[in-house]
Each structure stands twice: as C-alpha cells, then as structure tokens.
Amino acid sequence: EIQCVTGVQTCALPIFLLLACNGGAVIGDLPEVEDTADTATDTGDTADTGDTGQEPTDYDCEDIPSSYSSTPVSGAKAYHGIAFNAEGELVGWDGRNALVTAAYGEKATPWVPGIQVVEQIVEHPSGDLFTLAFNELLRLSPEGGQERILGGLFYAYGLTFAPDGQLWVADGGLHRVDIETGEMTTFIKAPKADQWDANLYRDVAFSLDSKRLYVVSLTTNLQYWDLDDDLNPVGDLKVHGQIPGQWKDGLMIDACGYFWVPDYQRASLYRVSPDGSETIKAIGGSEQSYTHALSWGAGGDWSQTALYLPQPYNQSKVVELDIGVPDGASVRTWKGEKSRF
C-alpha cells in the first residue's frame, strides 16, 4: 500500500488506485447526511439463536467485557477477509496467489490457486462462498469452481447478505445483487477515479430487526438509513455514532447489538454500544497487529462467541478475539420472523 494526501485527510491506497488521489473532490450524487440525536435501535431477542444451523450458545448481554485481548491461531492464513466453509475450515487469501483453508490449529493448505487480491468473503447456506477479487464478484463452489457474477465495480471491498438473501456490495457506492441472475440494483453510485472523497462506502450491516442499514466509510461516522419492509433505504442518511480514524475496514453487529469496526488509520478494532453513545478500542495500536474485516467462528474448535481476524501486515496471520457474544445473524429477524442471514 501507499499513502496519498487528498487535502483533507490521509488515506492508504493500493497501488492501482494511486490515480484516485485528486485533491479531495466531492461526489455529487451522495445523499445529504442528517446528524441526529435519535439513537433508538432494536437489538433483537438475544436469548434465542433461532434456526440458523448454528449450535445453541450461552451469553449474557448484561455482562459484556470491558477489555479484550487476542490470541494467535496457529497455521491459519487470511488477508482482507475470512469465511468458513461447509467443512468448518477457515478460508482466507494467503496474501500471494491463492485462497487457502485451515482446520483449527493446523497449517493452511491451497484451495483455489491463481486468485489475486481477495477482499471480503461471505458464506451462503448452499455451501458456496462469495468474494470480491479485482473488482469482480465471484461465486466459489465447495470444490473450488469459480463463477463470475459481475464485474466493473470500482473499489470493491465490502460484502453482506441481506435478510432476504440478496447480496450487498460496497465499492465506494452501494449495490444490491441477485446472486442467481447477477442483476444489480444501485442505490449509491460508486465515485469515478477523479472523484475520490471521504464518502467512499466500505461496508454495510443490517440491524437485528432488519429496520436499519448501517454503513461505514472513510469518515469517523457510523451512519444508517431506515429501511422499508422490502429492505430499501428510505429517508436521509443519519449519524448513529462516532469511531476514531478515517479508513474503516469492516462492520459487524453482534447478538447484543454492539458494532465492531476496524479502522486502518488508528490500526485498531473498535466496539460501539448499541445506542451509539460509547465507543471503546478493543484491540490494536500498531500496523503489524491491525486486523481487517472480521468473522465469527463456525462452531466446533472455532468458537461461535469469538471473532476471527486477519492481520494483512503480519504475514497474513489470523487471531482469535473472544468477545463472549455470537454473531447478530443468529438472532436477526425480518418482518417479525427469524432470518436465514
């Protein structure tokens, strides 16, 4: 990575995006942001994990840790994203030229060779994985077969399944993709290379009641749109909370409604309270220990109440962070019923 100065901030860019540094141009199509004191949010029923294929997990939202420490996972490799396959193995990019898999504590072995610059990876109930590689959305079968769903994205990084099974892609803009047809609905256009600014959307997450879509970008803001029953954003973009730094590398919500966000500029992972009023640094402080993205364990040796985090600047190693709470997907509802995602 290299550093470019836009005039209002410093951002870390891959080498192929050097030309995007243009002095802080503003994207004209982005919605107006409303700063609001409204912090109401439904954190869902945290006592019921529902029928998500996950093992029941005990946790207490009234007894949340105030400090954290991470533990290295021997053998595993990942760069900007982590997922778990149908065999319960961790899947990540090795930082060189292959997707690799690893059982807990065992050495990673090649799975899909000859694949470059993989960003976030997400699991589908079918057993397929979806990932972003060189601004293309790919579907990967359990056997390692690749299907190109779409290309032509701008700075594709974030992937999130919506409660209805549609796949949301953050590439500076925001898009919803039908994974069966490849049809893409664009809600926010990605900026052009000469229109780079702080409103570059990096990742999204759905609230536990599926009534809000939260987003992070290159600002300190944790923001959201309200959603209608069909999961379409409505109204103005609002500010929910503040997170230090100006380059967000992920966004997840746990089953107690806490937000987990890594920031590159501060080289730290932050936890934001459900109402957005409190932000603490969970771990971090150095580039080597900085963790991109995040994923909950798949069960078995991979704890369902722990986050698994890649360290791209530490030889693509992986660390485990026990937070004592499972993935928010285990309690998420949509239209009053349990969601599959």
Side-chain angles (χ1 to χ4, degrees):
E1 288 186 328
I2 59 171
Q3 297 289 321
C4 79
V5 179
T6 66
V8 293
Q9 63 191 26
T10 300
C11 56
L13 299 180
I15 187 71
F16 65 86
L17 282 174
L18 174 61
L19 295 179
C21 303
N22 73 318
V26 177
I27 303 170
D29 291 339
L30 289 169
E32 189 171 323
V33 176
E34 175 185 343
D35 192 350
T36 174
D38 175 19
T39 57
T41 184
D42 181 354
T43 59
D45 177 5
T46 60
D48 180 8
T49 59
D51 183 15
T52 64
Q54 298 179 346
E55 302 168 6
T57 301
D58 293 328
Y59 60 99
D60 185 357
C61 293
E62 301 300 320
D63 185 24
I64 299 298
S66 58
S67 62
Y68 301 90
S69 61
S70 61
T71 303
V73 179
S74 177
K77 291 283 187 181
Y79 189 73
H80 279 178
I82 282 176
F84 290 90
N85 64 20
E87 303 300 319
E89 299 169 316
L90 184 145
V91 179
W93 188 56
D94 65 0
R96 297 178 297 174
N97 57 12
L99 281 167
V100 297
T101 62
Y104 191 88
E106 297 184 9
K107 185 178 180 179
T109 58
W111 175 49
V112 181
I115 189 168
Q116 302 292 328
V117 194
V118 171
E119 305 294 348
Q120 289 191 7
I121 315 168
V122 291
E123 308 103 346
H124 187 267
S126 66
D128 290 346
L129 300 180
F130 291 79
T131 191
L132 294 163
F134 264 127
N135 292 323
E136 294 186 340
L137 174 62
L138 303 178
R139 184 172 191 156
L140 306 172
S141 71
E143 296 76 26
Q146 299 180 44
E147 177 189 356
R148 180 181 180 272
I149 303 297
L150 58 87
L153 298 167
F154 171 59
Y155 187 21
Y157 178 78
L159 278 180
T160 302
F161 272 112
D164 61 357
Q166 300 284 289
L167 188 58
W168 281 69
V169 179
D171 71 338
L174 292 176
H175 318 278
R176 182 169 63 196
V177 179
D178 185 317
I179 61 172
E180 301 303 332
T181 67
E183 180 181 356
M184 182 174 74
T185 302
T186 295
F187 291 93
I188 303 294
K189 291 181 179 180
K192 297 179 180 179
D194 62 349
Q195 292 180 319
W196 183 279
D197 84 338
N199 291 304
L200 187 89
Y201 293 102
R202 296 283 286 158
D203 207 0
V204 303
F206 289 83
S207 64
L208 301 187
D209 60 4
S210 302
K211 293 181 178 180
R212 288 182 176 179
L213 178 68
Y214 291 92
V215 295
V216 290
S217 61
L218 304 189
T219 73
T220 61
N221 294 327
L222 172 62
Q223 300 168 289
Y224 71 92
W225 280 282
D226 292 313
L227 297 173
D228 65 19
D229 286 344
D230 295 319
L231 304 174
N232 297 308
V234 295
D236 294 328
L237 184 63
K238 303 177 179 68
V239 177
H240 185 70
Q242 298 291 321
I243 306 161
Q246 293 183 334
W247 191 281
K248 304 299 181 281
D249 281 322
L251 172 61
M252 295 288 273
I253 303 176
D254 69 28
C256 291
Y258 286 84
F259 303 86
W260 295 86
V261 182
D263 181 83
Y264 171 81
Q265 189 185 56
R266 298 296 181 93
S268 297
L269 175 67
Y270 291 95
R271 189 196 75 187
V272 182
S273 62
D275 66 1
S277 65
E278 180 186 44
T279 299
I280 69 167
K281 183 172 79 171
I283 57 171
S286 71
E287 182 174 84
Q288 186 179 42
S289 66
Y290 176 57
T291 57
H292 273 62
L294 54 161
S295 181
W296 269 270
D301 291 331
W302 304 100
S303 172
Q304 292 181 321
T305 61
L307 294 171
Y308 292 89
L309 309 158
Q311 294 181 322
Y313 312 118
N314 187 25
Q315 302 176 9
S316 298
K317 295 180 180 180
V318 174
V319 296
E320 178 182 70
L321 182 70
D322 186 4
I323 66 169
V325 180
D327 187 353
S330 65
V331 299
R332 183 168 289 115
T333 60
W334 179 42
K335 296 181 179 180
E337 298 183 357
K338 279 287 183 285
S339 167
R340 292 179 67 204
F341 297 90

